[in-house]
Amino acid sequence: MSALGAVEAAGAGGAALFRPLSAEDGEQQPAEIESLCMNCYRNGVTRLLLTRIPFFKEIIVSSFTCESCSWSNTEIQSAGRIQEQGVRCALAVASRQDMDREIVKTDCATIRIPELDFEIPAFSQKGVLTTIEGIIDRAVMGLEQDQPVRRATDKEVASKIDDFISKLKQLKEVHSPFTFIIDDPSGNSFVENPHAPQKDEALVVTYYKRTPQQAAMLGLEEEELDEKPADSAEDLRNEVLQFNTNCPECNAPANTNMKLVQIPHFKEVIIMATNCDSCGHRTNEVKSGGAIEPRGTRITFRITDPSDMTRDILKSETCSVEIPELEFELGMGALGGKFTTLEGLLKDIKDLVERNPFTLGDSSTPSKTEKLQEFIGRLQEIIEGKTKAVFVMDDPAGNSYLQVGRIRAAFLCPDG
């Protein structure tokens, strides 16, 4: 039985399958399935754990062990939805500590190391939850697997592969910096930021629109947009549209409501709200209803009074947020689009930082926990109006907005 097949069988009872990953959760026991060992062809045991990683999605962790030959294998499968955009993470590896960064790699992700002209193509390996060093070790193991046969049949090719394996092993010592790139059109791969909540200068995360070829690779069909007459578009502004979706928390069927709203003195936006009857989860998101502006917008706001927290704010999904006093930067794509107050957005940022999986449980260290608590305390003082701060919104698409007041806004050219 496959991992996804076991999930479907387990879900027949209607219970919540995916629980948040937690070191304190003793009730979350893996399911055990007898399966064939591909090393000695005897029966072994596969353990399946259905869990949800914060800042990631639902995943199925499968671990196989064989008592006959002691062979073992661990891999993950994504059980969440394909994201709206693909993601590309480029990390400049400069120290041994960078080799210990945790990596979530899905089946469809491609890994590249340009300095060695090395690439692991999509769908050539199963999804894994590992480290950068673990990725390199798996690549070395795969190349060494058929070396005895190559040495017997083609010594020249075997010699070249031995040289390349040696170069891969030297990467783990980090004698010289190199670039580690993971490109995932599904948007479900992840690279740890050990400096959270501060920005990681060595890590560049880019979100992009999938090409038709990438969409076909993922099994997605292009949506055909039907042209609507002008009076039909006008009617949409006066009604709430509803469509079926899945809850982002428990993955149960839910309904999403969508409404076109005109923000005074700004532009039209689309507000989407999802309510789940199964687990009670509620979420809302805002998307721009207009085109990308000719120039980007940078809004700098000085928070000097508790009443500033009540200002309306529209943060689009292309907008990044910065608070210089905290040395904090929230990249575009994080938190999605939101139409709320300044206090509401800061509280969402606080909740986002507190749920960071790499500062909780076994993944945390005393120094990380101490820095995180200090950051949360300083952010809470800003929310309560006890500390003055500068709040910066940078939106290259020009679709973000802050209620008029003591604001200094700059309109940027497309090239920044």
Side-chain angles (χ1 to χ4, degrees), residues 305-353:
D305 189 85
S307 62
D308 291 333
M309 292 291 110
T310 63
R311 293 176 182 265
D312 292 333
I313 187 171
L314 171 65
K315 175 199 170 295
S316 76
E317 56 189 4
T318 58
C319 177
S320 61
V321 173
E322 184 179 354
I323 305 176
E325 285 77 6
L326 301 182
E327 298 182 2
F328 172 79
E329 182 173 339
L330 181 74
M332 64 175 64
L335 286 179
K338 285 190 174 290
F339 183 41
T340 179
T341 62
L342 181 56
E343 180 182 9
L345 182 60
L346 292 178
K347 286 184 177 180
D348 287 341
I349 292 175
K350 178 173 172 286
D351 293 341
L352 189 72
V353 173

Side-chain angles (χ1 to χ4, degrees), residues 166-181:
S166 177
K167 293 179 181 179
L168 279 177
K169 291 181 177 179
Q170 290 176 5
L171 285 182
K172 297 195 297 182
E173 303 301 325
V174 197
H175 295 304
S176 60
F178 65 91
T179 305
F180 180 89
I181 301 173

Side-chain angles (χ1 to χ4, degrees), residues 19-72:
R19 298 182 181 180
L21 187 63
S22 172
E24 288 76 22
D25 190 359
E27 299 180 358
Q28 193 175 13
Q29 298 296 330
E32 295 188 355
I33 302 173
E34 186 176 354
S35 51
L36 181 69
C37 175
M38 301 307 295
N39 188 49
C40 67
Y41 300 104
R42 298 179 181 179
N43 284 343
V45 177
T46 297
R47 294 175 176 85
L48 298 177
L49 179 65
L50 282 62
T51 188
R52 184 188 307 113
I53 298 180
F55 290 118
F56 188 49
K57 296 295 174 185
E58 296 88 355
I59 64 170
I60 305 168
V61 182
S62 63
S63 175
F64 175 82
T65 55
C66 178
E67 295 182 356
S68 300
C69 65
S70 300
W71 188 71
S72 63

Side-chain angles (χ1 to χ4, degrees), residues 146-165:
D146 295 330
Q147 278 298 85
V149 176
R150 294 192 189 99
R151 293 189 183 99
T153 57
D154 195 333
K155 293 183 179 180
E156 183 178 354
V157 173
S159 177
K160 292 180 179 179
I161 293 179
D162 283 334
D163 292 341
F164 190 80
I165 291 174

Side-chain angles (χ1 to χ4, degrees), residues 98 104 118:
D98 289 334
V104 175
F118 173 71

Side-chain angles (χ1 to χ4, degrees), residues 76-78 105-110 121-128:
I76 70 166
Q77 293 186 30
S78 176
K105 174 196 172 295
T106 64
D107 296 1
C108 57
T110 300
F123 298 106
S124 62
Q125 292 183 354
K126 294 292 185 180
V128 290

